[in-house]
Amino acid sequence: MSSGSSSSVTNGLHPHPDVSDHINHVSHLNGFADPSPHNQKIIDYLYNYGFQRGEYADTVLHVHQNVYRLHAIILSRSPFLVQLLSTSPQVQVGVPRTIYVPVEREPEVTQEGFAIAVGYLYSSVSLRLIRPENARAVLAAGCMLGGMDDLCELAYATCKRSISVDTIGAWLEFVDAIPPSSSGAETPGPDLSPIRIYGPYVQRLRDDVFHFLVVTLPNILEIHATPSEGTPTTPENGREVLLQVFSRIPFDMFKAAVESPNFQIGSDQTRFKFAKEAIEARRRGIARGLEETVVLAFGGGNFGTSAVHVTRKTRKRPLWKVNS
């Protein structure tokens, strides 16, 4: 049989030329091959009977303490899973292939996050399951599995919206786990931080947390300067909340936030006083054993830069002289 005749066969079907022309024509309509409800019925069936019930499964997937009965043709949509499939040959014809997903080094990938991500391989209905409470785990699972940009973008957007006064503590812990030199471009590996599983989303999330601290949080707490005097007008409890938050920020972000021109809480003197109080609170907590200081520069030597400067160094141990 010639190569031309064999290439026209798809799973034993010989499509009629008119049918092929119709498919080629409608494939350019907003990216959909067929705008009829038929495709949606197929997707719904795959999700309900294929993913949720595991009917006619040819692959058994183990992850965490869960066992999934799935389908290799669907799993092959994920670059990560297709590699596992290729390295886990079928032991016996007619017996489902077994694969194990190693997540021991990926604590950000939770059971719920993985279930939503792998369900997305079957249907976009999984997008409806993303909530602020699980968005970061879904994003981690989506980045690990690969091939699901829409899921990752929605999970990321949900993460961004979830940054608030109530959740900032958890997000600061997340930021603190990011290596200082991380660009977010590295591939997760055994010697790298588990946070790097997020790929390019690492830096985006870090920037979002920073923007919340510098711009959004002072606005929420109604901390701003009056146009005439440059002095802060804010409820006293709002300033206390801001101090509490800044007392827990990793140093590199604390320094960048205090020195940022977008941190508009008053005059340079006001920012200096705020930083000094925050450093005192940090000395009793996150900066214990370290020496953080803030200085206020005067004169024209700091044109174009912040007049408030924060530094940090290890506190020197006192030297004891031993008399003979």
Side-chain angles (χ1 to χ4, degrees), residues 175-194:
V175 168
D176 197 28
I178 300 175
S181 61
S182 174
S183 64
E186 296 88 344
T187 301
D191 300 324
L192 298 178
S193 166

Side-chain angles (χ1 to χ4, degrees), residues 281-300:
R282 294 167 62 83
R283 184 179 63 82
R284 300 188 298 269
I286 193 172
R288 186 173 299 174
L290 300 168
E291 186 176 343
E292 295 179 353
T293 57
V294 57
V295 296
L296 178 62
F298 294 95

Side-chain angles (χ1 to χ4, degrees), residues 148-196:
M148 45 186 72
D149 293 343
D150 289 345
L151 177 88
C152 289
E153 281 296 325
L154 181 58
Y156 160 71
T158 306
C159 286
K160 183 177 180 179
R161 290 194 302 269
S162 75
I163 302 173
S164 66
V165 177
D166 295 330
T167 65
I168 189 60
W171 281 108
L172 288 175
E173 292 179 6
F174 174 81
V175 168
D176 197 28
I178 300 175
S181 61
S182 174
S183 64
E186 296 88 344
T187 301
D191 300 324
L192 298 178
S193 166
I195 297 299
R196 299 193 183 191

Side-chain angles (χ1 to χ4, degrees), residues 31 244 272 290 308 310:
Q244 290 175 15
F272 169 74
L290 300 168
V308 180
V310 178

Side-chain angles (χ1 to χ4, degrees), residues 16-232:
H16 190 277
D18 293 340
V19 175
S20 300
D21 292 341
H22 174 69
I23 292 175
N24 291 334
H25 172 70
V26 299
S27 65
H28 296 90
L29 298 177
N30 293 327
F32 292 95
D34 187 352
S36 74
H38 179 65
N39 283 356
Q40 188 59 48
K41 290 180 180 179
I42 295 175
I43 293 172
D44 291 343
Y45 184 88
L46 285 174
Y47 186 81
N48 292 328
Y49 289 88
F51 175 63
Q52 291 191 318
R53 299 190 184 186
E55 299 286 351
Y56 303 106
D58 60 8
T59 304
V60 177
L61 183 150
H62 295 259
V63 60
H64 292 111
Q65 291 79 37
N66 295 341
V67 178
Y68 294 85
R69 293 177 54 81
L70 302 171
H71 308 81
I73 188 62
I74 303 295
L75 299 184
S76 65
R77 297 183 60 204
S78 160
F80 180 88
L81 293 177
V82 85
Q83 182 178 4
L84 288 181
L85 288 168
S86 64
T87 56
S88 304
Q90 197 168 15
V91 177
Q92 182 180 348
V93 177
V95 177
R97 178 189 283 106
T98 300
I99 61 175
Y100 296 85
V101 180
V103 292
E104 295 79 10
R105 298 180 182 272
E106 309 295 351
E108 292 287 316
V109 180
T110 65
Q111 295 185 29
E112 183 181 17
F114 184 86
I116 293 174
V118 76
Y120 179 74
L121 294 174
Y122 285 78
S123 169
S124 61
V125 71
S126 279
L127 297 177
R128 305 174 191 171
L129 304 176
I130 299 175
R131 310 185 312 278
E133 297 79 15
N134 62 29
R136 205 168 79 194
V138 174
L139 179 58
C143 289
M144 181 183 74
L145 296 179
M148 45 186 72
D149 293 343
D150 289 345
L151 177 88
C152 289
E153 281 296 325
L154 181 58
Y156 160 71
T158 306
C159 286
K160 183 177 180 179
R161 290 194 302 269
S162 75
I163 302 173
S164 66
V165 177
D166 295 330
T167 65
I168 189 60
W171 281 108
L172 288 175
E173 292 179 6
F174 174 81
V175 168
D176 197 28
I178 300 175
S181 61
S182 174
S183 64
E186 296 88 344
T187 301
D191 300 324
L192 298 178
S193 166
I195 297 299
R196 299 193 183 191
I197 193 175
Y198 293 97
Y201 292 100
V202 169
Q203 190 58 43
R204 292 173 67 178
L205 288 170
R206 191 182 193 282
D207 292 343
D208 292 333
V209 172
F210 182 79
H211 184 270
F212 177 84
L213 293 170
V214 173
V215 178
T216 307
L217 184 59
N219 287 334
I220 291 175
L221 300 176
E222 300 180 1
I223 299 175
H224 52 83
T226 59
S228 57
E229 301 177 1
T231 55

